[in-house]
Amino acid sequence: MEADKIIPYIFFIKKGIVRAYASTAENDITFWFGSEGETVISMKSYVEDKPGYENIELLEDCELYKLETESLRKLFNEDIHIANWGRRFAERELVKTEELIISRQFKTALERYKDLMRDKSDLLKRVQLGYIASYLGITQVSLSRIRAEIK
């Protein structure tokens, strides 16, 4: 998926890893990874029918389920259980966003790396270190120093 486009789909990851990132003049900034069992969505496209700000890239061979946003909206109107799933999904996305903002504002790079080791250790084996460093908001050199410090 590309930034500045309306994405009228939601994807469910059966297999693989994806990353969401925004591009600046200097580099790409990774702000989200998704793996098996997670959902890939441009929230701005989904909620407001406006172009999203993120690029989403497959980092491995992936198997994805694709659902049109409009079809999902119809299901929300037809079935209260699906509508409740949608509400819980939106709530979880809000909490994830809040945690990311708080982490970036109040935690050190070392603390953010330790959180990643604790919460998503599989990413460290499956994702390029440059993307991990970008996600943590540090350079790859700083990430190497942190990893050496922990060993």
Side-chain angles (χ1 to χ4, degrees):
M1 295 193 297
E2 294 179 42
D4 300 321
K5 292 187 177 182
I6 296 174
I7 307 301
Y9 306 103
I10 180 170
F11 297 88
F12 302 92
I13 305 171
K14 179 179 180 185
K15 177 182 166 285
I17 291 185
V18 303
R19 78 174 178 123
Y21 66 96
S23 296
T24 68
E26 297 83 41
N27 56 10
D28 293 341
I29 300 169
T30 300
F31 56 87
W32 179 82
F33 292 105
S35 59
E36 290 82 3
E38 295 186 289
T39 307
V40 179
I41 189 169
S42 170
M43 287 303 279
K44 192 165 186 176
S45 289
Y46 173 73
V47 172
E48 298 182 339
D49 286 322
K50 292 183 179 176
Y53 48 83
E54 67 277 272
N55 296 290
I56 297 179
E57 172 184 31
L58 306 181
L59 298 181
E60 296 179 346
D61 287 336
C62 291
E63 289 181 41
L64 305 170
Y65 297 108
K66 178 179 169 182
L67 179 62
E68 289 184 16
T69 303
E70 193 53 41
S71 297
L72 183 58
R73 288 183 181 130
K74 286 178 185 173
L75 289 171
F76 288 160
N77 288 328
E78 294 170 4
D79 188 314
I80 189 67
H81 301 292
I82 296 173
N84 281 332
W85 172 86
R87 178 187 48 78
R88 288 188 307 273
F89 168 74
E91 291 168 349
R92 284 190 304 273
E93 289 301 306
L94 178 60
V95 169
K96 284 189 334 191
T97 300
E98 184 178 67
E99 287 173 345
L100 179 61
I101 291 168
I102 289 168
S103 175
R104 288 280 176 100
Q105 294 292 317
F106 298 105
K107 291 186 177 185
T108 66
L110 176 61
E111 290 170 325
R112 292 193 303 270
Y113 183 74
K114 286 181 177 180
D115 287 349
L116 187 64
M117 287 177 53
R118 181 190 68 232
D119 299 334
K120 291 195 169 237
S121 61
D122 63 312
L123 289 179
L124 300 174
K125 299 172 190 144
R126 298 168 70 185
V127 173
Q128 295 176 25
L129 291 180
Y131 296 153
I132 298 288
S134 171
Y135 175 74
L136 295 172
I138 59 176
T139 65
Q140 201 164 341
V141 171
S142 295
L143 177 58
S144 294
R145 286 188 192 125
I146 288 170
R147 289 167 53 93
E149 182 182 320
I150 290 177
K151 287 184 181 180

